[in-house]
Amino acid sequence: MSQLIDKNKIVVITGAGISAASGIPTFRDYNGLWKRYPIEKVASPHGWNDDPALVLDFYNQRRSQLAQVSPNAAHDAIVKLEEKYQVVIVTQNVDDLHERAGSTHVIHLHGELDKARSSIDEKLIYPLNGKPIKLGDICDKGSQLRPHIVWFGEQIHHYDLACAAIKRAGKVLVVGTSLSVYPAASLLKKARYHAEKEFVNLDFDEKPRRFKLLKGNAVDLVPMVASSWMAGEKLF
Ligand code: NAD
C-alpha cells in the first residue's frame, strides 16, 4: 500500500487538547459546566426538542467565550507546515482556532460553533460572526435556526473526505484527543503502514497501534514535530 502514500501530504487530526492552552476547556474539564448544562440536554436532538432555549443559551455562551481566545503555538506550527507540504486538518473541535491561525484546509467532523443551520435542512448553513442564535431566528425555509454542531446520535460530517485524506498521507500527526468519540477515533486506523505517525497527548499512557507517543503539552511538542518535518527529518 505504500505506493499510495504521498510524502508531501500531511494530515493533522486534532481534538480538544490542542485548544486547551488557548483557554478552551477540554471535554473532561467541562465537568463543572455539565452540572449546570447536563450533556444529554445540550448535546442531543432530544434535548433540543425539549428545551431549545437552554441549548441556544449554552452554545451562545461557548461562542462568546471563543471570541475571547486566540490560537496558540501548536495551531501556528501547523500553519507553518503549509510552506512545504499539502496539509489537511481533520478536527473534532468546533472552535475556529485553526482557521484563525491561518490554516487553509480544515475538515470539521463535529460542526462549527460560529455557524448556525436550519433545523429542517442541514444544507442551509449560516455564518454567525460571533452573534448569538435567538429563538425566532429562522432559516430561508422558515424553520428555527440551531447550532451547526453534531450532537450525540447524529452523523458526523465529511467522514469519507477525512478517510480519503488520511489514506494518502505520508505523515499523520494526532494532537490532543482522548479517542473516546467514535467514529472520529477510528480514523487513525486508516493511516497507512508506511506513513510516519505521531501521537501528541498531555496525559496518555497507551499509544494507538503503530503511532509514536509524544507525551507532553501540544504547545511544546507540535512546534517540535513541525520543525523537524520542515527540516525534512524523521523524528526518531
Ligand atoms: P477530550 O476532552 O475527550 O480529550 C482531550 C485530550 O487532550 C485528552 O486526552 C487530554 O489528555 C489531552 N490534552 C489536554 N490538554 C492538552 C495539551 N495542552 N496538550 C496535549 N494534549 C492535551 O477531547 P476530544 O478527544 O476532542 O473529544 C471530545 C469531544 O468534545 C469532541 O467531539 C469535540 O468536538 C468536543 N469538544 C470540542 C472542544 C473545542 O472545540 N475546542 C472543546 C471541548 C470538547
Side-chain angles (χ1 to χ4, degrees), residues 74 77 173 175 199-202 213-228 235:
L173 170 62
V175 187
F199 185 83
V200 170
N201 199 298
L202 193 59
L213 174 63
L214 302 172
K215 198 168 171 180
N217 199 316
V219 292
D220 302 319
L221 294 179
V222 175
M224 187 194 84
V225 173
S227 55
S228 25
L235 266 172

Side-chain angles (χ1 to χ4, degrees), residues 82-217:
E82 291 193 17
E83 290 173 16
K84 183 165 178 172
Y85 297 95
Q86 292 168 40
V87 181
V88 175
I89 297 170
V90 175
T91 189
Q92 296 173 81
N93 294 344
V94 297
D95 68 55
D96 58 357
L97 295 182
H98 286 299
E99 288 90 340
R100 276 157 58 190
S103 286
T104 58
H105 197 160
V106 186
I107 298 174
H108 283 273
L109 298 173
H110 293 163
E112 294 170 77
L113 190 52
D114 202 24
K115 290 183 179 166
R117 76 165 167 86
S118 161
S119 47
I120 56 165
D121 181 349
E122 62 183 50
K123 288 188 207 73
L124 291 179
I125 299 164
Y126 305 89
L128 287 166
N129 300 316
K131 292 198 207 79
I133 309 176
K134 300 191 203 92
L135 280 181
D137 289 348
I138 54 171
C139 73
D140 290 337
K141 291 187 175 172
S143 81
Q144 173 65 43
L145 289 179
R146 56 161 273 182
H148 182 46
I149 300 285
V150 176
W151 290 325
F152 290 103
E154 295 184 321
Q155 201 161 15
I156 70 168
H157 300 157
H158 313 304
Y159 184 75
D160 292 345
L161 199 63
C163 283
I166 293 163
K167 285 177 179 171
R168 297 289 320 276
K171 299 179 194 299
V172 179
L173 170 62
V174 180
V175 187
T177 172
S178 61
L179 300 178
S180 55
V181 180
Y182 281 82
S186 62
L187 284 171
L188 273 66
K189 296 198 183 94
K190 310 287 177 192
R192 296 294 187 192
Y193 182 82
H194 290 286
E196 185 179 344
K197 298 180 277 296
E198 313 289 345
F199 185 83
V200 170
N201 199 298
L202 193 59
D203 179 23
F204 217 85
D205 291 323
E206 287 203 30
K207 65 182 184 61
R209 207 159 160 245
R210 299 205 185 102
F211 276 75
K212 266 184 239 135
L213 174 63
L214 302 172
K215 198 168 171 180
N217 199 316

Side-chain angles (χ1 to χ4, degrees), residues 34-46:
W34 298 133
K35 286 188 187 127
R36 269 187 300 139
Y37 294 95
I39 190 163
E40 66 282 4
K41 289 193 190 289
V42 296
S44 72
H46 177 71

